[in-house]
Amino acid sequence: MSHPPSTLAVVGVGLIGGSFALAAREAGLVDRVIGIGRSKANLDAALELGVIDASSHDIAAVADADIVLVATPVGQMARLFDAMAPYLKPGTVVTDAGSTKSDVTALFRAHLPGHLEWCVPAHPIAGSDQSGATAARAGLYRNRKVVLAPLPETRPEVLERVDALWRACGARVETMSAEEHDAVFAAVSHLPHLLAFAYVDMVSGKAHAQRYFDFAATGFRDFTRIAGSHPEMWRDIALANRAALLDELASYQASLARLTALVESADAAAMERLFEEAREARVKWHERFEASR
Amino acid sequence: MSHPPSTLAVVGVGLIGGSFALAAREAGLVDRVIGIGRSKANLDAALELGVIDASSHDIAAVADADIVLVATPVGQMARLFDAMAPYLKPGTVVTDAGSTKSDVTALFRAHLPGHLEWCVPAHPIAGSDQSGATAARAGLYRNRKVVLAPLPETRPEVLERVDALWRACGARVETMSAEEHDAVFAAVSHLPHLLAFAYVDMVSGKAHAQRYFDFAATGFRDFTRIAGSHPEMWRDIALANRAALLDELASYQASLARLTALVESADAAAMERLFEEAREARVKWHERFEASR
């Protein structure tokens, strides 16, 4: 694909932003990358590793960019959008990598109201236990999903440009509304994290918790892995996606109450049916999931 | 360790019983193994693989044994205990491998009332996705836990003999009451299985479930792995350990209601504290768990 020379500014050069920079450049869609951030050590590492070509602590550096990827925690975006607003050229594409979308959409509206036609809220579904520029790699997004949640104001050609960039990184792009995004991720990601946190909280609150932990095995290990996730990050996600998450929590509590009633009434047939249907759905999901990777 | 020649009868020559036979013989504590079961194909395979030395479809074969391991589903034990009672010599040790213990204790009492001093209810914490005699291996129990839940009537030297057998298989043996066993396993094993089944049931019951499943990733994968478990087996466990499981379900529902209230009131600090404490407990558990394997 031929294209005019293009400069990418990455605000927050961590695993997510750095990997996007590496992949977009490798794909030939980006010629120059400016890294913008607060940590000199991280920006220096990014320069040294060739993740970025230039670095700045000053958000004004977005003035030189054709595309700006804001890859910081969502909590920093209001301040950053405000700060970059005076420097953005008309036509500069602004996109993000936040894991919730209704709240980010509201931030775009509140803090970049004059720039909405060039804004594309987005959520790359990738991550790892590692973080920082040194963890960045061009292959991070290969076969990973990226959700784009364009605004009504987003120009079609701007959406298409962000779509093409992510596809060039190897990602499979899906477009949906911010509301649908948040409902889906509340159910398949945010809810299980909260269920796992609540479960470990329950066990560790027992009078002789260690006696219980001593007999926990591989089922426990896998079920609770996500309870080892980053507390601040999950606090922020739970707050950011509060409405959808409360819906899913209510739905789960109803589902668990139904199962509890089956145990209470010792309804063997209904219990087996529920387990069998869940098992079938899980086995089918897992086959598709592994085949897609 | 020197010992008199000893014959082991394994009722139900699957992964659990077959692996015990291989390990006990490898350790030199068993000289001869009789496999008792219904499937000719499975017994023939066990003979061919050297898991057993002789096979029988007739429970009367326990008459030749010094030790009988009943390694069938708990649902078959009442019938098997009844059937073997007339053939058991005084002094023949009878033990099991069921994953619940209060109910098995009751079965020993009801169906082998004249033999209790030689009975040791037990639960080896091992298993795998495989089953059948062909899956048996001597190393299955190495560093795995085995819980012994002796009856008040169990003779000390009988308990010691079963303890020594499992230790010779490489297992780490813990002794506790059937009630404590069932409370502990309700919390760390049975409850998470039910939580995972209820969760997959909830997601797959959604109007556009496939759209949700499409965005499930590795967190979902690990959290739901145990929802792929055997439905009949978990139906039986839920029924067998119903009382303890209902306690744990109530406790979890209370824990989840507390977390839901924090989300509802957007109590960021309390939420972060809960996540942080759960994360710490899980990280600490995981380190100990991996170090013990």
Side-chain angles (χ1 to χ4, degrees):
Chain A
M1 192 190 302
S2 102
H3 70 99
S6 113
T7 296
L8 166 69
V10 175
V11 185
V13 188
L15 172 72
I16 296 296
S19 295
F20 179 80
L22 287 171
R25 192 209 305 268
E26 195 175 286
L29 293 193
V30 155
D31 306 289
R32 186 159 179 271
V33 179
I34 307 168
I36 303 174
R38 288 185 297 197
S39 158
K40 179 164 164 33
N42 186 61
L43 290 176
D44 286 350
L47 277 168
E48 205 159 297
L49 291 164
V51 174
I52 58 177
D53 303 297
S55 73
S56 174
H57 295 304
D58 187 352
I59 195 75
V62 299
D64 295 329
D66 306 293
I67 309 149
V68 178
L69 170 66
V70 181
T72 67
V74 174
Q76 299 175 23
M77 288 183 188
R79 185 179 56 76
L80 288 165
F81 288 170
D82 273 343
M84 75 174 64
Y87 303 102
L88 284 174
K89 291 178 303 198
T92 293
V93 174
V94 182
T95 186
D96 77 302
S99 52
T100 46
K101 293 273 69 73
S102 299
D103 60 329
V104 171
T105 295
L107 294 175
F108 274 112
R109 294 203 165 285
H111 300 278
L112 291 174
H115 203 80
L116 298 179
E117 59 200 294
W118 299 292
C119 290
V120 184
H123 176 200
I125 323 303
S128 102
D129 297 338
Q130 305 158 290
S131 61
T134 54
R137 53 195 173 83
L140 182 68
Y141 299 112
R142 202 153 295 143
N143 285 327
R144 292 293 175 270
K145 288 208 172 72
V146 173
V147 175
L148 305 184
L151 308 167
E153 293 87 347
T154 306
R155 292 188 187 202
E157 68 270 23
V158 170
L159 175 61
E160 204 174 298
R161 187 161 180 197
V162 174
D163 184 300
L165 272 164
W166 279 114
R167 286 187 201 276
C169 296
R172 287 175 292 139
V173 180
E174 305 256 1
T175 299
M176 61 177 78
S177 70
E179 294 67 34
E180 189 186 0
H181 170 279
D182 285 359
V184 166
F185 285 86
V188 303
S189 169
H190 310 167
L191 177 66
H193 278 79
L194 264 66
L195 298 182
F197 280 127
Y199 171 68
V200 174
D201 177 58
M202 183 208 98
V203 177
S204 61
K206 283 182 178 292
H208 303 284
Q210 193 53 55
R211 184 67 162 166
Y212 287 78
F213 282 128
D214 279 348
F215 291 93
T218 53
F220 179 97
R221 178 194 62 198
D222 292 353
F223 184 76
T224 61
R225 183 179 64 76
I226 52 181
S229 303
H230 203 280
E232 294 84 3
M233 185 180 131
W234 283 94
R235 174 202 64 193
D236 290 346
I237 289 174
L239 292 173
N241 203 18
R242 193 165 148 267
L245 187 51
L246 285 170
D247 285 348
E248 298 303 327
L249 280 163
S251 177
Y252 184 71
Q253 280 158 323
S255 175
L256 190 57
R258 277 194 302 276
L259 176 52
T260 302
L262 299 184
V263 178
E264 206 136 28
S265 61
D267 188 338
M271 218 186 292
E272 184 181 345
R273 202 158 49 239
L274 191 156
F275 295 169
E276 177 58 40
E277 284 169 8
R279 195 193 66 84
E280 266 176 35
R282 204 279 173 182
V283 166
K284 205 174 124 198
W285 171 81
H286 191 237
E287 279 166 9
R288 285 171 56 108
F289 180 69
E290 291 302 331
S292 75
R293 285 154 64 83
Chain B
M1 194 190 299
S2 100
H3 71 100
S6 116
T7 296
L8 167 70
V10 175
V11 186
V13 188
L15 172 73
I16 296 296
S19 296
F20 179 79
L22 287 171
R25 192 210 304 268
E26 195 175 284
L29 293 192
V30 155
D31 306 289
R32 187 161 178 271
V33 179
I34 307 168
I36 302 174
R38 289 185 297 195
S39 158
K40 181 165 162 32
N42 186 61
L43 290 176
D44 286 350
L47 278 168
E48 204 159 298
L49 291 165
V51 173
I52 59 177
D53 303 297
S55 73
S56 175
H57 295 303
D58 187 352
I59 194 76
V62 299
D64 297 328
D66 306 293
I67 309 148
V68 179
L69 170 65
V70 181
T72 67
V74 174
Q76 299 176 24
M77 289 183 187
R79 186 180 54 77
L80 288 165
F81 288 169
D82 272 344
M84 73 175 64
Y87 304 103
L88 283 174
K89 292 178 303 198
T92 293
V93 174
V94 182
T95 187
D96 77 303
S99 51
T100 46
K101 293 273 69 69
S102 300
D103 60 329
V104 171
T105 295
L107 294 175
F108 274 112
R109 297 204 163 283
H111 301 279
L112 291 173
H115 203 79
L116 297 180
E117 58 199 295
W118 300 293
C119 290
V120 184
H123 176 200
I125 323 303
S128 102
D129 296 338
Q130 304 157 291
S131 61
T134 54
R137 53 195 173 82
L140 182 68
Y141 299 112
R142 202 152 296 142
N143 285 327
R144 291 293 175 270
K145 287 208 172 73
V146 173
V147 176
L148 304 185
L151 308 167
E153 293 86 347
T154 306
R155 293 188 186 201
E157 69 270 23
V158 170
L159 176 61
E160 204 174 299
R161 187 163 180 195
V162 174
D163 183 300
L165 273 163
W166 278 114
R167 286 186 201 276
C169 296
R172 287 175 291 141
V173 180
E174 306 255 2
T175 299
M176 62 177 79
S177 70
E179 294 67 34
E180 189 186 359
H181 170 279
D182 285 0
V184 167
F185 284 87
V188 303
S189 169
H190 310 166
L191 176 65
H193 277 79
L194 265 66
L195 297 182
F197 280 128
Y199 171 67
V200 174
D201 177 58
M202 182 207 99
V203 177
S204 61
K206 284 183 179 290
H208 303 284
Q210 194 53 56
R211 183 68 162 166
Y212 287 78
F213 282 128
D214 279 348
F215 291 93
T218 53
F220 179 97
R221 178 193 63 199
D222 292 352
F223 184 76
T224 62
R225 183 179 64 77
I226 52 181
S229 304
H230 203 280
E232 294 84 4
M233 185 180 130
W234 283 95
R235 175 203 64 194
D236 290 346
I237 289 174
L239 292 173
N241 202 17
R242 194 167 147 267
L245 188 51
L246 285 170
D247 285 348
E248 298 304 327
L249 279 163
S251 177
Y252 184 71
Q253 279 159 324
S255 175
L256 191 56
R258 276 194 303 277
L259 176 51
T260 302
L262 299 184
V263 178
E264 207 137 26
S265 61
D267 188 338
M271 218 186 291
E272 185 181 344
R273 201 157 49 238
L274 191 156
F275 295 168
E276 178 58 40
E277 284 169 8
R279 195 192 68 84
E280 265 175 35
R282 203 279 172 183
V283 166
K284 204 174 125 198
W285 171 82
H286 191 238
E287 279 166 9
R288 285 171 56 107
F289 180 69
E290 291 302 332
S292 74
R293 284 153 67 81

